[in-house]
Amino acid sequence: YIVQFFRKKNTTPRLMSRCSIVYISILILLIIKEEIFLFELVVNGAFEAAHRLVDYPGKCNRLHGHSWTVEMSVSGDKLDNIGMVADFKVLKSMLMEVLDAMDHQYLNELPQFKELNPTAEHLAKYIYETIEANDLFKTNCKLNYIKVWESPKAAVIYRKDA
């Protein structure tokens, strides 16, 4: 069909080949897009903790605290027999298990931050890697990202790009 279309237009074989590739690529993308349904689930948690950013050239070098908020995004394309990718209760519990261990702590003294400054970036990575080890992510679910707010106006997102 594509070849006939370009022959009617009196197109050179080289242009026809390039246009065919583009056209076929677009068709493939449309077909793929039509067949993939992806659900994204998001849960939030919070904890209170103090930290100090060693060698930071400013006030954050002193001991201070935050009301941290953490968002976890999970996705999947298959629903279970009751119509869920994952149970929100399970996801919240998974997140809170990690956050509860840091709640009302001095983060610099925790083993995971003995060698690392407990920046929002390091917290996001630590939370992501701890949660990613859960068996849930060996099935239909994928952990998309962890987003950590240290204030209502400042956040960091950690994700592993595949």
Side-chain angles (χ1 to χ4, degrees), residues 4 7-8 16 21 25 34 36 46 48 51 61 97 106 109-110 118 122 125 133 138-139 144 151 157:
Q4 290 172 354
R7 283 192 181 139
K8 286 180 187 175
M16 184 171 63
I21 291 170
S25 298
E34 290 285 325
I36 295 178
E48 309 289 328
H51 71 153
N61 193 6
E97 183 178 339
Y106 177 40
E109 293 179 345
L110 296 179
H122 284 143
K125 184 178 183 200
K138 294 178 180 135
T139 61
N144 295 322
S151 77
I157 295 175

Side-chain angles (χ1 to χ4, degrees), residues 29-88:
L29 288 174
L30 288 172
I31 290 167
I32 290 171
K33 189 173 181 172
E34 290 285 325
E35 293 182 4
I36 295 178
F37 298 98
L38 192 63
F39 300 94
E40 183 173 5
L41 291 73
V42 177
V43 295
N44 290 290
F47 68 102
E48 309 289 328
H51 71 153
R52 152 176 194 265
L53 300 182
V54 179
D55 295 328
Y56 182 81
K59 291 190 280 184
C60 294
N61 193 6
R62 297 194 299 261
L63 177 64
H64 64 285
H66 295 284
S67 295
W68 303 88
T69 302
V70 179
E71 177 178 296
M72 177 172 77
S73 168
V74 171
S75 62
D77 61 352
K78 293 179 182 67
L79 302 179
D80 65 13
N81 62 336
I82 60 171
M84 298 184 337
V85 171
D87 188 337
F88 281 119

Side-chain angles (χ1 to χ4, degrees), residues 74-130:
V74 171
S75 62
D77 61 352
K78 293 179 182 67
L79 302 179
D80 65 13
N81 62 336
I82 60 171
M84 298 184 337
V85 171
D87 188 337
F88 281 119
K89 186 168 76 174
V90 170
L91 296 175
K92 288 178 201 171
S93 174
M94 194 184 306
L95 178 61
M96 289 313 299
E97 183 178 339
V98 178
L99 302 186
D100 284 346
M102 296 186 288
D103 191 37
H104 286 81
Q105 298 288 327
Y106 177 40
L107 298 176
N108 297 65
E109 293 179 345
L110 296 179
Q112 58 269 30
F113 300 113
K114 282 288 189 190
E115 303 296 321
L116 294 172
N117 250 343
T119 60
E121 291 86 348
H122 284 143
L123 263 75
K125 184 178 183 200
Y126 166 74
I127 295 166
Y128 184 102
E129 290 176 348
T130 303

Side-chain angles (χ1 to χ4, degrees), residues 144-157:
N144 295 322
Y145 66 82
I146 293 292
K147 185 174 187 177
V148 174
W149 283 271
E150 68 172 27
S151 77
K153 296 180 180 179
V156 62
I157 295 175

